[in-house]
Structures are given as structure tokens and as C-alpha cells.
Amino acid sequence: MAGVAGGNDLQWCFSQVKGAIDEDVAEADIISTVEFNHSGELLATGDKGGRVVIFQHEQECKNRPHLRGEYNVYSTFQSHEPEFDYLKSLEIEEKINKIRWLPQQNSAHFLLSTNDKTIKLWKIGERDKRAEGYNLKDEDGRLRDPFRITSLRVPVLMPMDLMVEASPRRVFANAHTYHINSISVNSDHQTYLSADDLRINLWHLEITDRSFNIVDIKPANMEELTEVITAAECHPNQCNVFVYSSSKGTIRLCDMRTAALCDRHTKFFEEPEDPSSRSFFSEIISSISDVKFSHSGRYMMTRDYLSVKVWDLNMENRPVETYQVHEYLRSKLCSLYENDCIFDKFECCWNGSDSAIMTGSYNNFFRMFDRNTRKDITLEASRESSKPRATLKPRKVSTGGKRKKDEISVDSLDFNKKILHTAWHPKENVIAVAATNNLYIFQDKIN
């Protein structure tokens, strides 16, 4: 991939935006997760209303080969409903926390979706034929009088309008006491793990009534609790290896071959803290909100509040790369603490070749870093630049002194507009960025 910055490097342009333009956004419409499938043909979003919307990539127009095909709605379904835990007197939100696609095995697609407590396996399939000519019922479904049936008919398949059906195939429930923050499909394509604040469970995709607890960090006395699990992911090609991150800024790599209960990690990744920069907020901003293995499996990336770090799995004492996402907010941590923004959980993602990474920020800004050239760029998801094929202009934030013409002052950033969820197409330079209730799709500019 070319660089992510301007000049002769890769340039990004607007492709599409999905969602209403209304100023008053309904809470249920806020996008809570975004995920491409393994081919990039499908793009799924989940929202706070428990809905999953799947977009399908349409084939590009032969008359205009420079225009890539668009993503259009393929299927929409209600994945989770609000529930009530009567034993604990707790409402269970319908909000979709995570979506993970399973590798495609046949014409149907499968995905896992989860809210705080329950994981569901969904099958998304197409139907363009229906059976007609039954013996015991009419075409409208009513039963026929058996005494009037004088001949035997062979039902035939007749063509019909294409219908996309989403059906729940498995429901994995009652295994998490605390809120689920991660699900990750294993490379054996038979098992997956789910993580909450204190435990990680391993499931088989065919078995819903039991799972294996592989990590449990709950202390005997909850007053002794010092950290929680914030994210977990399976290794992309070693089915026995997984990692999980903590609120203390550490990452533990575990090997399931070592023991059934992986409380004792195999590797422990932690960057020593600089004593000179320690403050009241140090522990909060060091909490890791996301961890992602590279496609190659050699590296992993972690996101904390102010930075993204890339770790080599063979080196535990410090990251090999550190990228500052919004260092200009360090002086604003006090007000970010007061308005609770300091607890926002930003995600991060790799491009298909692991040469670039992307993560979100405030004011609907998102950041890209090229690992080869070490260039970085800030772009904005905005309806103002949503003309077809409009090139995205790099944005800059001024931190004081004289503000240049194109710069935006750090004091005028809108902290209610935040890019928490992003996804990068596994094979092409196409990105999906969730901004509140809108999904923006950008692509590289083809000259």
C-alpha cells in the first residue's frame, strides 16, 4: 500500500454515507460496532437498538471502471431485544457490543453478535425459489380436504423474487456474570472465545449449553480487585494462542496447550512507565480499549486513550512502534475526566497488508499511520465533504499560539462527535467509519 498522507501518496475520497441527517439522533440508532467479512463483500453494523444491518458490495459499473461499486443494504434484522434479569433486578441492554464473521463455507454467511450477556450465531442466506404443488395444502397454505385428493402431485420448485433471510442458529447464554466486551472466532473455525470484565470463556460453535472457563481473574475478595479484562482476541493462525488486555495497560498472551485454566500467562507485555509524566490520570489513560493481531500473526496492536502501540510478539518489554493519536488532549484531561470522555473506548484496525493502521478521535476525526514511511494523517468524517469522489483534506489541530488558516483550535473540538468504531476492507483500500448514527465509507482515489 502507498502512504496514507498527501502529496504523491494515497489520497482518500468520499464514497458513501448511510444514516439519517437529523440533528436529534435517537439513542437506538447510534452505531456500536462495524465489521467487514473475510472477503470484504459484506459489511455489518450493529447499533444500540439491537439491530444488525448488513451491506453488500455491488459490482462496479463496466461503463465507468474508475468508479468502485457501492455498498447497499443486503439484510436488516433485530439481533437482540432488551431483557430483564429478575434475580439481580438489572436491565440487560439490547445494544450490540461486537459482531464477528465466520469464514464462509457455503453459499450462506454466518456471524456472531453479542450484547452484554448473550451471544447469537446468525445464518444469512438467500432464497430465490419456492416449492409449489403440495398434495395436502393449497398454494395459500390452507389444508386441503383429504377426501378430495384424487391424484398424487410432485411438488416443483418455482422461481420467486430474491429474499434474504436471517435466522438464529445458536444462542449462547447464561455464561457471563459481567458484561461481555469481546468475542473472537478461533482459527480452527470451530471454537470462539468470549470475554467479560473478569473471565474468558471458550465455546464450541455447535454446543450452546456449556463453555470452558479459560481465564478467571476474579479475586476471592472483590475489594482486592485491581484490574479488569478490557479486550481479548484469538491468534489468526495458531488456534491455541490468544491475548487479553487489561485496564492497567498490560497484555497477556496465553497458550491453551500449557494448562486448561490459562490464569498463568505465557508472555506479559508491558511498557515501563516514565515517572516524570505520572499524573492523577495516568492509570485511566493507560487502560487498553482494544487489541488486534496483525493478519500475519507476527504483531499485535493496542489502543489506549492517547496512543496506538504496535508490539512484536517476540519482544515483551516495550512496543516496537508508538503513534500519538491526539497528544494535544493531554492538557485537557481534567475536563475530559469531568465529562466522562476519558473513559471512551476507541477501537483500532489494520489494513489488509498490515502496512497501515487506523483509529478514531474526537470531532469526527480519524487517524491513519503508515508503518513504512512513518507518515500520519488526520481526516474528518463530515457531510460537508460528502460530494461523490470528493478528496478528503487533511485536518490539523492547533494547540496554542497563532492558529493557521486551515487549522482547528483544540478548544473548539466537539467531544460529542467521536469515531469509536472503524473497519478496513481486508483486500482493498476501502474503509468504514462509524460517526454516531452515520456510517461513512471512503476509498482511495483512483486517478
Side-chain angles (χ1 to χ4, degrees):
M1 178 194 137
V4 294
N8 298 321
D9 296 323
L10 181 70
Q11 287 189 312
W12 292 91
C13 68
F14 174 83
S15 176
Q16 290 172 269
V17 60
K18 307 284 186 184
I21 314 175
D22 307 341
E23 285 296 315
D24 297 327
V25 177
E27 182 82 5
D29 294 336
I30 296 173
I31 297 171
S32 53
T33 183
V34 183
E35 189 81 5
F36 279 103
N37 75 338
H38 294 271
S39 66
E41 183 204 357
L42 299 178
L43 171 63
T45 65
D47 64 25
K48 288 192 173 182
R51 294 179 298 258
V52 172
V53 180
I54 300 173
F55 300 93
Q56 184 182 43
H57 185 237
E58 304 291 337
Q59 292 308 308
E60 47 235 70
C61 185
K62 287 182 182 168
N63 315 338
R64 297 179 290 173
H66 63 285
L67 280 180
R68 285 222 188 94
E70 292 190 334
Y71 281 87
N72 293 319
V73 174
Y74 179 63
S75 176
T76 304
F77 58 93
Q78 189 72 31
S79 172
H80 288 71
E81 301 278 359
E83 296 174 61
F84 192 79
D85 186 332
Y86 291 97
L87 288 175
K88 296 180 179 167
S89 295
L90 281 176
E91 283 186 33
I92 301 167
E93 285 186 339
E94 65 271 41
K95 174 192 163 204
I96 307 295
N97 291 344
K98 285 284 183 291
I99 289 173
R100 291 290 179 265
W101 290 93
L102 273 63
Q104 192 175 1
Q105 311 284 1
N106 51 34
S107 60
H109 297 274
F110 290 85
L111 63 80
L112 289 167
S113 64
T114 184
N115 66 352
D116 285 340
K117 298 288 180 184
T118 306
I119 305 154
K120 295 184 180 181
L121 174 67
W122 290 88
K123 176 186 178 182
I124 297 96
E126 295 182 355
R127 209 149 55 98
D128 61 356
K129 290 184 177 64
R130 68 163 177 257
E132 288 184 3
Y134 287 108
N135 289 286
L136 298 177
K137 60 183 180 183
D138 291 326
E139 302 308 329
D140 57 4
R142 286 182 300 184
L143 289 173
R144 295 172 68 194
D145 183 353
F147 297 104
R148 293 192 178 181
I149 301 171
T150 56
S151 61
L152 191 65
R153 293 190 294 180
V154 178
V156 290
L157 287 174
M158 300 295 288
M160 60 178 261
D161 292 338
L162 180 69
M163 202 165 78
V164 181
E165 293 179 313
S167 53
R169 304 310 295 263
R170 306 272 185 279
V171 178
F172 306 89
N174 306 321
H176 284 280
T177 309
Y178 307 97
H179 291 178
I180 298 170
N181 55 46
S182 305
I183 50 175
S184 179
V185 180
N186 210 339
S187 60
D188 60 11
H189 305 161
Q190 293 181 321
T191 56
Y192 74 92
L193 58 81
S194 59
D196 65 26
D197 296 335
L198 297 179
R199 297 188 179 102
I200 300 176
N201 292 335
L202 183 71
W203 300 84
H204 193 285
L205 285 161
E206 299 291 329
I207 302 168
T208 59
D209 59 354
R210 66 180 181 275
S211 62
F212 294 98
N213 179 225
I214 52 174
V215 172
D216 187 348
I217 64 167
K218 183 183 177 187
N221 179 3
M222 281 295 272
E223 289 178 5
E224 295 168 9
L225 184 69
T226 58
E227 63 180 331
V228 293
I229 297 166
T230 56
E233 190 176 56
C234 296
H235 192 278
N237 44 47
Q238 294 175 25
C239 62
N240 51 289
V241 173
F242 68 95
V243 293
Y244 67 94
S245 58
S246 90
S247 56
K248 277 192 165 179
T250 60
I251 311 102
R252 292 170 174 85
L253 183 141
C254 302
D255 190 334
M256 287 185 268
R257 295 173 301 184
T258 312
L261 192 63
C262 300
D263 285 354
R264 296 181 65 180
H265 49 266
T266 308
K267 292 188 175 185
F268 183 75
F269 299 85
E270 182 179 28
E271 186 174 26
E273 189 185 20
D274 180 5
S276 64
S277 63
R278 177 146 187 84
S279 72
F280 170 75
F281 304 108
S282 293
E283 198 162 306
I284 302 172
I285 63 173
S286 67
S287 175
I288 292 171
S289 55
D290 197 17
V291 58
K292 293 267 171 62
F293 278 109
S294 63
H295 296 86
S296 67
R298 169 75 188 271
Y299 300 97
M300 67 177 172
M301 164 171 56
T302 58
R303 170 73 209 259
D304 56 41
Y305 190 65
L306 293 178
S307 64
V308 173
K309 293 170 183 171
V310 176
W311 302 78
D312 188 321
L313 295 190
N314 299 324
M315 192 165 88
E316 300 167 51
N317 59 345
R318 61 186 170 84
V320 288
E321 299 158 31
T322 301
Y323 302 98
Q324 300 304 330
V325 178
H326 37 218
E327 185 63 21
Y328 47 79
L329 294 183
R330 195 175 284 277
S331 61
K332 303 280 176 196
L333 291 177
C334 198
S335 55
L336 290 164
Y337 178 74
E338 285 169 4
N339 64 16
D340 279 350
C341 284
I342 201 167
F343 302 107
D344 285 335
K345 293 179 169 32
F346 291 95
E347 295 173 7
C348 51
C349 61
W350 300 87
N351 73 336
S353 60
D354 299 333
S355 61
I357 54 184
M358 172 172 61
T359 191
S361 181
Y362 293 104
N363 209 65
N364 276 2
F365 288 171
F366 58 99
R367 303 268 284 140
M368 289 179 166
F369 304 94
D370 189 308
R371 297 181 59 211
N372 298 327
T373 63
R374 293 305 172 102
K375 288 181 179 175
D376 65 272
I377 191 170
T378 304
L379 300 171
E380 183 181 8
S382 161
R383 284 192 179 264
E384 289 165 20
S385 57
S386 61
K387 296 184 185 70
R389 312 289 301 147
T391 305
L392 297 188
K393 291 191 179 118
R395 305 305 305 266
K396 285 199 167 54
V397 177
S398 72
T399 51
K402 202 167 182 188
R403 186 165 62 89
K404 293 179 187 167
K405 183 186 167 193
D406 293 332
E407 289 184 340
I408 180 168
S409 164
V410 69
D411 296 315
S412 56
L413 294 174
D414 187 343
F415 292 107
N416 292 316
K417 293 180 177 176
K418 54 191 89 167
I419 305 286
L420 301 176
H421 315 287
T422 60
W424 203 313
H425 191 292
K427 296 173 182 171
E428 296 177 22
N429 283 319
V430 175
I431 56 173
V433 172
T436 317
N437 64 322
N438 293 135
L439 179 71
Y440 288 85
I441 299 172
F442 304 107
Q443 62 180 52
D444 59 342
K445 190 145 191 170
I446 306 167
N447 298 318

